[in-house]
Amino acid sequence: MDQTPTDLSPLKGSKSARGATAALGGNVVSLSNARLKSLEKDMAALKRRQRELIRNGSNSTRQLQALFEVQRGLLLENNLDAVIAWALTQIPKSFELIQASLALEVTQYEIPHVNHPHFRRLTPGSVFRLFSDRSLIMGTMASAEAVAVSCECKSFAISRMSIGHKNRPGFLLLASATDEFSSSPSEIEIVSALATSLQLSLSREYDRL
């Protein structure tokens, strides 16, 4: 790589009677002590993943920078609706994809207010029927798993997820207008890192409901 991407900005907190303040990538937000601890835990996990990707060195600088920007945005959102909206809007924009979609085995009662057009609620067992014992599926529209894709694309990646302390099954689906998802090690790493980042933020907010 021609340069090392900027590291995820460190999380710094100063406690007060009103909570804490965290500095993330130059953005300052007011946080409760509980939320600060949750963010610090998520930050540590993302930084470990970041170091693994940089050590591997197979990803382009542009891909890594895009990944870290998505991660920063996810950390700054403070409710489930905002996390989903940010992810499904920013991921396609950052990675030049047709679409990002999220599907979870949850009921309308559990998360009643999420109405993003690319969010789906699934019936129990849907994720297992799609993945079986796999955690990641990459393919083209000729693949058997293409039935899960609801848009026109040339290739797609579907990464399995487990949300919150109840381990609600779900998946992140990424759709590309090119043959981008070719099961190469670098593509697998980026897709897995995106899914992990989103899973952490979704779990954090789901467990607060």
Side-chain angles (χ1 to χ4, degrees):
M1 293 187 293
D2 54 350
Q3 62 182 18
T4 300
T6 304
D7 194 12
L8 283 171
S9 303
L11 193 64
K12 299 177 181 178
S14 58
K15 294 183 180 178
S16 68
R18 297 178 62 185
T21 298
L24 275 171
N27 296 298
V28 179
V29 293
S30 178
L31 304 168
S32 67
N33 288 335
R35 179 160 167 75
L36 179 61
K37 290 179 181 178
S38 178
L39 284 175
E40 287 173 336
K41 181 180 178 181
D42 288 356
M43 177 67 78
L46 292 178
K47 285 175 73 68
R48 286 195 298 271
R49 184 62 174 150
Q50 179 195 44
R51 287 193 292 269
E52 291 173 5
L53 289 169
I54 292 174
R55 273 200 305 271
N56 182 279
S58 59
N59 303 97
S60 72
T61 300
R62 185 194 66 80
Q63 284 181 313
L64 292 175
Q65 291 285 16
L67 171 63
F68 302 152
E69 287 304 313
V70 170
Q71 290 173 332
R72 285 194 183 98
L74 290 172
L75 287 169
L76 288 169
E77 300 300 343
N78 61 5
N79 64 69
L80 196 64
D81 296 16
V83 167
I84 292 174
W86 168 266
L88 301 188
T89 301
Q90 192 62 36
I91 290 174
K93 186 183 300 183
S94 296
F95 290 89
E96 299 179 358
L97 302 173
I98 294 176
Q99 183 177 305
S101 300
L102 174 67
L104 298 175
E105 289 185 17
V106 293
T107 64
Q108 181 78 26
Y109 175 78
E110 285 179 278
I111 48 174
H113 304 301
V114 178
N115 293 304
H116 193 283
H118 296 152
F119 171 73
R120 286 192 290 159
R121 294 176 181 84
L122 302 174
T123 56
S126 298
V127 173
F128 179 78
R129 287 192 293 272
L130 176 63
F131 285 89
S132 186
D133 59 351
R134 296 172 293 180
S135 60
L136 179 67
I137 300 169
M138 287 185 167
T140 66
M141 291 310 290
S143 305
E145 296 85 3
V147 66
V149 184
S150 59
C151 68
E152 294 185 6
C153 65
K154 284 192 175 181
S155 64
F156 62 86
I158 313 175
S159 186
R160 195 172 193 164
M161 306 171 74
S162 180
I163 306 302
H165 68 279
K166 294 182 179 180
N167 295 316
R168 289 289 186 255
F171 60 78
L172 172 66
L173 185 150
L174 306 177
S176 175
T178 69
D179 297 325
E180 180 175 355
F181 296 121
S182 57
S183 299
S184 68
S186 62
E187 294 300 333
I188 290 172
E189 286 176 343
I190 288 294
V191 172
S192 297
L194 282 170
T196 298
S197 302
L198 180 55
Q199 177 175 284
L200 284 169
S201 291
L202 289 172
S203 294
R204 181 187 70 233
E205 299 305 327
Y206 177 84
D207 288 343
R208 295 173 64 210
L209 295 176

